[in-house]
Amino acid sequence: MSKPIVAIVGRPNVGKSTLFNALAGENISIVKDTPGVTRDRIYADVEWLNYQFTLIDTGGIEPDSSDIILSQMREQAQIAIDTADVIIFMVDVKQGLVDSDAKVADMLRRSRKPIVLAVNKADSYEKSLPDVYEFYNLGIGDPQPISAAGKQGLGDMLDVVVGYFQDVELEEAEDDRPRIAVVGKPNVGKSSIINKLLGENRVIVSDIAGTTRDAIDTAITWDGKEYVFIDTAGLRRKNKIKEELERYSIIRTVTAVDRADVVVVVIDATEGVTEQDAKIAGIAHDRGKGILVAVNKWDAVEKDDKTIYKYTQKIRETLSFMPYAEIMFVSAETGQRLPKLFEMIDMIIQNQSLRIATGVLNEILSEAVALQQPPSDKGRRLKLYYITQVSVKPPTFVIFVNDRELMHFSYTRYLENKIRDTFGFRGTSLKFIIRERKDKEK
């Protein structure tokens, strides 16, 4: 099941970034990310009362006039309406209710999305309360007094936010069709691929309004089986977003990836693989999704007998953090290899759901340790006691050791390769959790 999406909208200087950082915790500032992928501080995974959700900061506004403030706030609000399950609308109790707050509130109210009105800078609850009541005039529910800087009132506000999640989860729980997000930079041919799949095969087509947001999902039936394609380009409204296109394309990608089982990363063959492609692919990798790289416009590339090899090598170098990703060379224009897409998607979903018996895993572990001795530091050697698989999507393994500090990334990767040598797991990342068992130490 996908995580609900919560977006923060508000004027400049009302404390959006402060709230974002307070809810996201300190981890958001630490770039612990996948090699070659830099994470923009746009989204973060947050947990509250056993609920997990993705928090999105719709962006700062640095305008020089009130007209620009209002137009950019409307743009932010539209992004939130398009992508979020719940919207946190932030206002400032010290500045009071201003005209642009009222206009954006009107837009949010008409969207019929759940809105949580967060009245920030209410540092002293008793003193601020009369001023907080003024925001009832917006007509979008009870104002929640908070202090993002002082971390006051955040729990009450989050209780209201997660209270809306049950409706979101009920809608998606009933739908067990494979969900495929088609992501990539603008103009690489994401929509063209979906349109070709629709037109070429004369399938049963139904455009379903996205269950939890206004994006249009497209149902495609292939060989008697129905798939739901999530086109991230479909989230862009007609009032095309201007300069911050890259930022918003990342927001769209995050929301689509969260809802998907498999992510198809579309790359433009005429342009080659880029750092921006790596950034987009990294979002899917971070979230443990099945990944298929589709190199589109392959018909437009001059080829010799080494072209595919060279392209594959370049993709593997740029996306070196996800060597498991499957690669296909396709053309939305001619339909080249597109039917094989469904075969690959089915294979990746099967691998994402694969479970390995604990006994078999421990045989692989024993053999791996015998072939390559675990690392040591200052006379102390890593001991590996036991491995077991605890979940799927992505397949997740827990390894019990004597000292987590001794478990180098390179040795974890070595064990991952041994598991992949036996079971393949093509197209899906594997997650490893390292736990200490000191009671076994002598």
Side-chain angles (χ1 to χ4, degrees):
M1 182 164 309
S2 66
K3 291 179 193 161
I5 307 285
V6 178
I8 306 172
V9 174
R11 280 185 293 115
N13 305 319
V14 294
K16 295 192 299 296
S17 297
T18 310
L19 178 64
F20 181 76
N21 287 332
L23 296 181
E26 292 170 346
N27 297 343
I28 195 69
S29 310
I30 301 165
V31 182
K32 61 163 181 59
D33 237 359
T34 319
V37 180
T38 55
R39 171 175 288 169
D40 293 42
R41 289 179 49 151
I42 293 174
Y43 66 95
D45 295 324
V46 178
E47 190 169 340
W48 180 253
L49 299 180
N50 297 323
Y51 286 98
Q52 291 186 329
F53 62 93
T54 298
L55 183 68
I56 286 180
D57 181 4
T58 53
I61 310 171
E62 300 292 335
D64 46 19
S65 82
S66 57
D67 289 347
I68 297 172
I69 287 180
L70 183 57
S71 70
Q72 290 196 316
M73 275 188 74
R74 281 181 170 148
E75 213 164 74
Q76 279 186 4
Q78 191 60 62
I79 288 291
I81 289 165
D82 285 349
T83 58
D85 300 306
V86 181
I87 298 164
I88 296 175
F89 181 37
M90 233 176 144
V91 292
D92 183 338
V93 74
K94 290 183 176 165
Q95 290 178 15
L97 183 57
V98 302
D99 189 43
S100 55
D101 286 335
K103 286 178 176 165
V104 172
D106 189 44
M107 187 177 167
L108 293 172
R109 189 171 52 247
R110 284 201 302 268
S111 76
R112 301 198 173 174
K113 289 282 176 89
I115 317 288
V116 178
L117 178 59
V119 185
N120 194 25
K121 304 185 186 174
D123 305 313
S124 167
Y125 186 78
E126 297 300 326
K127 284 184 189 170
S128 306
L129 215 51
D131 296 323
V132 169
Y133 289 147
E134 179 189 11
F135 289 94
Y136 273 105
N137 291 317
L138 291 174
I140 51 175
D142 296 335
Q144 301 294 318
I146 66 165
S147 168
K151 298 190 178 177
Q152 295 170 31
L154 301 188
D156 290 342
M157 182 196 73
L158 287 173
D159 287 346
V160 179
V161 169
V162 300
Y164 290 111
F165 290 172
Q166 200 172 357
D167 301 335
V168 176
E169 289 178 0
L170 284 173
E171 284 175 342
E172 296 213 343
E174 295 162 8
D175 191 348
D176 58 358
R177 295 171 297 180
R179 304 180 87 79
I180 297 93
V182 182
V183 305
K185 294 182 304 183
N187 307 318
V188 292
K190 300 186 292 291
S191 300
S192 304
I193 286 174
I194 292 173
N195 290 340
K196 190 71 174 178
L197 291 172
L198 280 167
E200 185 101 331
N201 307 304
R202 298 180 186 169
V203 293
I204 304 159
V205 179
S206 61
D207 279 346
I208 330 138
T211 46
T212 58
R213 51 195 63 82
D214 292 341
I216 303 262
D217 293 350
T218 306
I220 298 178
T221 300
W222 183 271
D223 203 18
K225 183 176 176 182
E226 197 169 44
Y227 302 78
V228 177
F229 280 78
I230 306 161
D231 179 6
T232 46
L235 288 164
R236 193 181 315 157
R237 290 289 177 121
K238 285 175 187 168
N239 57 339
K240 205 173 173 184
I241 291 126
K242 298 183 277 291
E243 298 307 312
E244 287 203 289
L245 184 63
E246 183 180 320
R247 177 187 188 88
Y248 292 122
S249 75
I250 288 170
I251 289 175
R252 285 194 293 272
T253 301
V254 172
T255 58
V257 165
D258 264 340
R259 298 170 57 215
D261 301 304
V262 174
V263 177
V264 177
V265 181
V266 183
I267 290 172
D268 186 332
T270 60
E271 207 179 300
V273 63
T274 66
E275 284 305 312
Q276 176 69 355
D277 293 321
K279 192 181 285 185
I280 290 166
I283 293 167
H285 171 78
D286 279 350
R287 283 163 155 61
K289 302 293 180 175
I291 299 177
L292 172 59
V293 176
V295 184
N296 190 28
K297 308 182 188 177
W298 192 237
D299 56 309
V301 173
E302 284 188 35
K303 300 178 229 4
D304 59 30
D305 58 344
K306 294 190 178 67
T307 312
I308 278 197
Y309 170 75
K310 284 177 185 168
Y311 258 81
T312 303
Q313 200 173 26
K314 178 64 178 157
I315 290 167
R316 291 289 181 214
E317 281 170 17
T318 309
L319 307 183
S320 59
F321 54 89
M322 39 187 264
Y324 57 84
E326 289 293 305
I327 301 173
M328 279 180 70
F329 295 86
V330 303
S331 167
E333 182 72 28
T334 66
Q336 183 184 13
R337 293 197 192 88
L338 283 185
K340 196 169 164 52
L341 203 67
F342 293 97
E343 198 180 301
M344 298 288 267
I345 286 164
D346 285 346
M347 181 265 289
I348 291 170
I349 288 174
Q350 199 174 351
N351 285 338
Q352 276 245 304
S353 307
L354 193 60
R355 279 190 183 273
I356 312 299
T358 299
V360 177
L361 282 171
N362 283 285
E363 279 176 31
I364 294 169
L365 183 68
S366 300
E367 192 181 302
V369 169
L371 287 170
Q372 185 172 318
Q373 207 172 30
S376 63
D377 185 41
K378 294 172 185 167
R380 185 168 161 75
R381 185 165 295 284
L382 173 69
K383 291 179 184 171
L384 295 98
Y385 301 127
Y386 186 70
I387 182 171
T388 186
Q389 185 176 352
V390 291
S391 64
V392 295
K393 292 188 176 180
T396 302
F397 304 90
V398 175
I399 304 175
F400 293 95
V401 300
N402 62 329
D403 187 344
R404 285 177 60 184
E405 296 296 314
L406 293 172
M407 188 70 171
H408 296 166
F409 168 77
S410 57
Y411 202 77
T412 307
R413 176 58 62 88
Y414 163 70
L415 294 176
E416 176 179 340
N417 290 338
K418 288 293 175 192
I419 291 170
R420 286 187 185 280
D421 287 348
T422 311
F423 296 102
F425 283 112
R426 287 168 57 194
T428 180
S429 62
L430 303 182
K431 187 177 173 186
F432 290 87
I433 298 164
I434 312 302
R435 293 256 166 86
E436 281 184 14
R437 271 178 52 174
K438 294 191 185 285
D439 56 313
K440 286 266 184 178
E441 259 315 9
K442 290 179 184 174

